[in-house]
Amino acid sequence: MDIGGTKTEAVALDREGRVVAGARIPTEAGADGVVSTAERVIARLAEQTGRRTAEFASVGVGIPGRIDRERGEVHNAYNIGVERLPLARRLAEATGLPVALDNDVTAAAIGAAHLMGLDGVVAYLNLGTGLAAGLVIDGTPIRGAHGVTGEIGHLPVDPLERPCPCGQRGCLETVASGSALKRYWPAGGDHPGRLLLAAIDAGDAEAEHAFEQLVRGAASCVRLLALTLDPHTVIVGGGLRLLGPRLLDGIRTALDSWATQSPFIDMLELSGRVQLLAADSSAAAVGAALASEGRRR
Ligand SMILES: [Zn+2]
């Protein structure tokens, strides 16, 4: 399952990793709320598949925050009202099933690579309210020594040095993310991504300028991932993927324009490596389930 700030999405996978059932319910905030949300969504999947909960092999959870996978604890998941929660133990006690936790972006990276049939080195760029990346090599995620692999959103890059919630200034997240878009285009309200393309089509010059800035920021992220990890593929996911083919075209166009200025960047053929996660993808839920099976640690 993928436990998000507003909703929790869950899927049941068969032995081959195919989705056989899916459910989506609102997330209850707070430690007890999160545990009860998880229990209810598992019960929903059991109902849909005509099985008892005990018949599932395992449960995988993708959740925001810092994850201590060994202890099965979630830390600092403030957007769901959790400071510290031993979620794996509590959910295992409630269901009798083995439970594994992952950061939501890592889970999405695993799921996206699986659903899109991508082998080799796959970088996943999550353009959501915040900004982060995940890394998967032949289906196996790289989590790092302290679980912060891919936290590129907090790499300071911008000379304008706008303050970031992490305490630094000029982080990549202040340039390329949903929160950055909100600042580029205040007229778009709390969910500017939903209104942006319609506003551009209606001739709103500020919306168009905001989109261009967002796209350049996203292209910078792709270049950063390419130069640090040299992936075969960079998947663009997160809520802003709903901007669709125009987002992808914009990123590719920015990368191509940098390639015309630099033989080095040209040689890397960056624009051909970028793909967009499908709008209706359940990548994080699928990835969390796959990572719980023990064969993809
Ligand atoms: Zn930051």
Side-chain angles (χ1 to χ4, degrees), residues 37-135:
T37 302
E39 277 185 68
R40 279 188 292 120
V41 84
I42 292 168
R44 190 75 72 82
L45 290 178
E47 215 176 279
Q48 278 190 29
T49 51
R51 292 172 181 275
R52 286 175 296 109
T53 295
E55 288 178 77
F56 289 126
S58 60
V59 178
V61 181
I63 189 165
R66 194 170 58 77
I67 306 305
D68 183 333
R69 200 171 148 87
E70 295 300 308
R71 293 206 173 113
E73 290 180 355
V74 185
H75 299 257
N76 316 109
Y78 296 119
N79 67 338
I80 48 173
V82 167
E83 176 130 12
R84 176 177 168 273
L85 171 63
L87 179 57
R89 177 173 56 74
R90 288 195 50 188
L91 198 52
E93 282 168 7
T95 60
L97 298 169
V99 177
L101 306 187
D102 251 307
N103 172 267
D104 55 348
V105 175
T106 301
I110 300 166
H114 172 78
L115 291 168
M116 295 168 78
L118 299 169
D119 289 325
V121 182
V122 178
Y124 174 82
L125 178 64
N126 198 74
L127 287 178
T129 306
L131 173 72
L135 177 64

Side-chain angles (χ1 to χ4, degrees), residues 126-181:
N126 198 74
L127 287 178
T129 306
L131 173 72
L135 177 64
V136 175
I137 302 178
D138 289 328
T140 301
I142 307 298
R143 297 187 178 91
H146 306 89
V148 293
T149 298
E151 289 287 355
I152 61 168
H154 299 293
L155 191 68
V157 294
D158 185 9
L160 292 180
E161 297 207 317
R162 295 183 189 96
C164 178
C166 78
Q168 304 185 99
R169 303 183 80 87
C171 288
L172 203 42
E173 185 171 296
T174 68
V175 178
S177 66
S179 52
L181 180 61

